[in-house]
């Protein structure tokens, strides 16, 4: 008899992915999950009322008892509040308004052209960090990084003589793994802040979380993630695709990059801290006028770049023909890898100048005394900027509209108001599933708040954590790891936070930590495992991109490539978070690390 060959032994990664895939497939659709959870809360409220649970309020000492939604009064409240629960849900309006503005910028072609300019104009030795950086920056604009930058990075790496999957991995790491890092605020910031605020009001009914609550940490994280992504791409991922000489060149470039970033942050801090207040006030006062003057100067300066479109040199053409052995006779798609054309440059000039002019208006309202985005007569900076911080969503909307329309006028993609409305409508058309999800999430959050179960669980959970007496760092590290694990089975950041915030935000508040701090820890855990989670909505698209160059690529291929990024990002971010805690650094404007009840603060 001929022996039957035994199947190859499955690797640990394959076995782990099988568990993740089965666990993810066992979960219902997020909207269905929230509907079931809302029903569960109703039933649980009746059960808790039967057992007459009671805890003392941690601030007032008053008795807290569960509200029974299975009673006649409770069912009437559910029926009459169904619509208002949805329409008053904090994240809904903020996301819709922000996406209208971003939609105009995306539809006009501005975001795509800006990303191409950023990537294609960089020196070759900076290609990897620029792609990672562009990926981080692109996550403010929804799916544009997945749809445009990831395949574009593959083509650019191919044109540079490197494996295209390596470029796509670097871009994917920035777009999805660096989801909680950016130099700008995006649509996810007001969304998560709204959910955190809803959860915080279980404890403190007047608590407000502004969308820029994690901005300082996000700003620094942009450079940290870019450096870590550069390191993983060149030192861990690249050897799996091409043979490379191991020397100190890449390490030296990485050292210089990190050193230059640290020096820049230190210089800004020193200038802000040591500059005489009268000089600083003078600089802030003239900044709107200086920004407007810069816009006018750039308008004329950038005109010279629109005269003759650049042509490809013979050496560049030769390097394109020697990309990879299997790709040597395959032409690079010049439409994506060519330099920006005259029309695109004109559009970018219009957008840049319009953005600077709009920035001068914003500066006029924020940094000048008695500006329209300040509270008149207020001396405390954070309190004075309350209108600006509360209006972040409107400002994001304004930037998207102004820059998008200006680019469209210059590039010819916006010819009438109908084109602007079309861009707005296109962004709204993608939100059908999100609206359904929000409807059921809003009911779950409302029911959970009505029953007071969140407050009861928070008090009991806080008592348990206090008994453990864990320091802040291991406590938050455990929460980050919990979030990272949950992300493998439930990909939506907003859906997970809508589920976790009502429990963990009040719990950490009772332990003395602010909702903004809890939200930041959540964002770190959520971002780091995006790139290895099959439940992430664009994971299948990334597999399809990989299959263009590796036809046998599958889930295991993507996870094997992206797992080092996930591990290094998690370690690097955890270290940065620990440093932030250790030095008690502010995580965002008006966002404290600690929570002090209003009664005690007064």
């Amino acid at each position: 008899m001929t022996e039957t060959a035994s199947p190859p032994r499955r690797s640990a990664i394959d076995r782990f992915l099988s568990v993740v895939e089965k666990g993810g497939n066992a979960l219902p659709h997020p909207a269905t999950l929230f509907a079931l959870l809302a029903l569960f809360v109703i039933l649980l409220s009746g059960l808790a009322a039967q057992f007459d649970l009671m805890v003392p309020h941690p601030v007032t000492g008053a008795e807290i008892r569960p509200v029974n939604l299975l009673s006649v009064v409770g069912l009437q409240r559910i029926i009459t509040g169904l619509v208002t629960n949805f329409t008053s849900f904090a994240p809904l309006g903020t996301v819709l308004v922000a996406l209208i503005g971003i939609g105009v910028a995306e539809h006009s072609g501005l975001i795509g052209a800006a990303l191409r300019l950023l990537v294609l104009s960089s020196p070759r030795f900076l290609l990897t960090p620029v792609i990672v950086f562009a990926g981080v920056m692109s996550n403010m604009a929804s799916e544009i990084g997945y749809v445009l930058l990831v395949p574009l990075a593959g083509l650019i790496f191919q044109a540079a003589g490197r494996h295209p999957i390596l470029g796509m991995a670097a871009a994917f790491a920035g777009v999805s793994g660096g989801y909680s890092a950016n130099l700008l605020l995006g649509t996810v910031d007001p969304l998560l802040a709204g959910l955190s605020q809803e959860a915080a009001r279980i404890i403190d009914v007047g608590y407000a979380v502004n969308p820029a609550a994690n901005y300082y940490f996000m700003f620094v994280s942009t450079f940290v993630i870019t450096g870590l992504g550069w390191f993983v791409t060149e030192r861990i991922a690249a050897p799996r695709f091409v043979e490379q000489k191991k020397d100190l060149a890449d390490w030296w470039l990485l050292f210089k990059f990190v050193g230059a970033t640290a020096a820049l942050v230190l210089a800004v801090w020193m200038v802000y801290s040591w500059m005489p207040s009268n000089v600083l006030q003078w600089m802030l006062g003239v900044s709107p006028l200086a920004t407007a003057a810069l816009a006018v100067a750039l308008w004329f300066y950038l005109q010279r770049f629109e005269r003759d479109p650049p042509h490809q040199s013979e050496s560049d053409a030769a390097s394109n023909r020697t990309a990879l052995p299997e790709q040597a006779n395959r032409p690079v798609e010049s439409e994506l890898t060519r330099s920006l054309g005259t029309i695109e440059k004109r559009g970018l000039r219009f957008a840049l100048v319009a953005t600077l002019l709009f920035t001068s208006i914003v500066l006029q309202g924020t940094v000048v005394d008695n500006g329209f985005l300040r509270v008149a007569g207020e001396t405390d900076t954070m309190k004075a900027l309350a209108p600006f911080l509360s209006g972040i969503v409107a400002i994001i909307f304004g930037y998207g509209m102004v820059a998008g329309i200006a680019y469209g006028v210059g590039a010819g993609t916006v010819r009438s108001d109908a084109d602007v409305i079309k861009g707005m409508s296109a962004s709204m058309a993608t939100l059908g599933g999100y609206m359904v999800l929000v409807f059921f999430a809003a009911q779950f959050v409302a029911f959970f708040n009505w029953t007071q179960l969140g407050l009861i669980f928070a008090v009991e959970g806080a008592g348990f954590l206090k008994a453990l007496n864990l320091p802040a760092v291991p406590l938050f590290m455990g929460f980050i790891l919990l979030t990272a694990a949950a992300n493998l089975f439930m990909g939506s950041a907003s859906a997970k936070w809508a589920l976790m915030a009502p429990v963990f935000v009040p719990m950490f508040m009772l332990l003395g930590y602010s909702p903004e701090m809890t939200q930041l820890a959540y964002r770190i855990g959520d971002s780091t495992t995006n790139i290895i989670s099959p439940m992430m909505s664009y994971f299948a698209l990334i597999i399809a991109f990989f299959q263009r160059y590796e036809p046998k690529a599958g889930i295991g291929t993507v996870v094997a490539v992206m797992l080092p990024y996930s591990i290094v990002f998690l370690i690097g971010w955890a270290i940065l978070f620990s440093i932030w805690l250790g030095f008690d650094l502010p995580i965002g404007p008006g966002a404290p690390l600690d929570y002090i009840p209003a009664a005690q603060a007064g």
Side-chain angles (χ1 to χ4, degrees), residues 198 339 344 372 402 432 447 553:
E198 294 280 345
S339 297
E344 293 166 311
F372 65 93
V402 169
F447 296 170

Side-chain angles (χ1 to χ4, degrees), residues 287-299 357 360:
S287 60
L289 182 61
T291 305
L294 177 62
V296 175
L298 283 174
W299 174 269
L357 289 174
S360 71

Side-chain angles (χ1 to χ4, degrees), residues 193-414:
L195 292 170
S196 299
Q197 178 173 294
E198 294 280 345
R201 289 182 174 178
I202 295 176
I203 296 290
D204 188 340
V205 293
Y207 201 93
V209 179
N210 76 75
N214 300 144
Y215 179 70
Y216 297 157
F217 189 89
M218 289 172 52
F219 186 94
V220 176
S221 295
T222 302
F223 302 101
V224 173
I225 292 300
T226 300
L228 293 176
W230 187 5
F231 167 77
V232 173
T233 301
E234 300 299 341
R235 311 305 300 185
I236 300 178
R240 301 183 67 242
F241 294 97
V242 283
E243 293 292 331
Q244 294 185 336
K245 182 181 178 180
K246 305 297 182 184
D247 54 34
L248 296 177
D250 291 338
W251 290 98
W252 175 239
L253 288 174
L254 180 60
F255 175 78
K256 290 193 294 184
F257 174 82
V258 175
T261 301
L264 176 62
V265 173
L266 180 61
V268 172
W269 178 79
M270 290 174 62
V271 169
Y272 181 79
S273 301
W274 295 347
M275 182 175 290
S277 58
N278 58 339
V279 177
L280 183 61
Q281 288 297 323
W282 179 85
M283 292 180 63
L284 292 175
V286 301
S287 60
L289 182 61
T291 305
L294 177 62
V296 175
L298 283 174
W299 174 269
F300 295 102
Y301 176 75
L302 293 177
Q303 282 183 334
R304 69 189 187 94
F305 292 106
E306 298 174 15
R307 296 170 186 169
D308 299 312
H311 59 277
Q312 187 183 43
S313 66
E314 186 61 31
S315 61
D316 289 339
S319 66
N320 287 348
R321 290 193 295 269
T322 59
L324 291 170
E326 66 270 21
Q327 303 287 342
N329 297 321
R330 178 178 173 180
V332 178
E333 299 178 30
S334 59
E335 182 59 29
L336 288 177
T337 57
R338 64 173 175 79
S339 297
L340 292 168
T342 304
I343 293 177
E344 293 166 311
K345 289 180 180 178
R346 184 183 299 118
L348 288 173
R349 173 164 62 95
F350 276 58
L352 176 60
V353 172
T355 300
L356 286 173
L357 289 174
F358 187 78
T359 300
S360 71
I361 297 174
V362 174
L363 289 174
Q364 180 69 34
T366 54
V367 303
V368 177
D369 290 338
N370 298 323
F372 65 93
L373 291 175
R374 296 175 65 94
V375 176
E378 179 61 60
T379 56
D380 184 271
T381 302
M382 289 299 103
K383 293 181 180 179
L385 290 176
F388 168 75
L389 296 174
S390 301
I392 284 289
V393 175
I395 294 172
I396 294 174
F397 167 81
Y399 270 109
M401 287 284 292
V402 169
I405 293 175
Y407 177 88
V409 171
T413 56
V414 173

Side-chain angles (χ1 to χ4, degrees), residues 568-584:
V568 172
F569 283 6
L570 181 60
I571 295 173
W573 245 331
I575 293 173
L576 181 63
F577 186 85
S578 301
I579 293 174
W580 224 270
L581 274 176
F583 287 93
D584 199 26

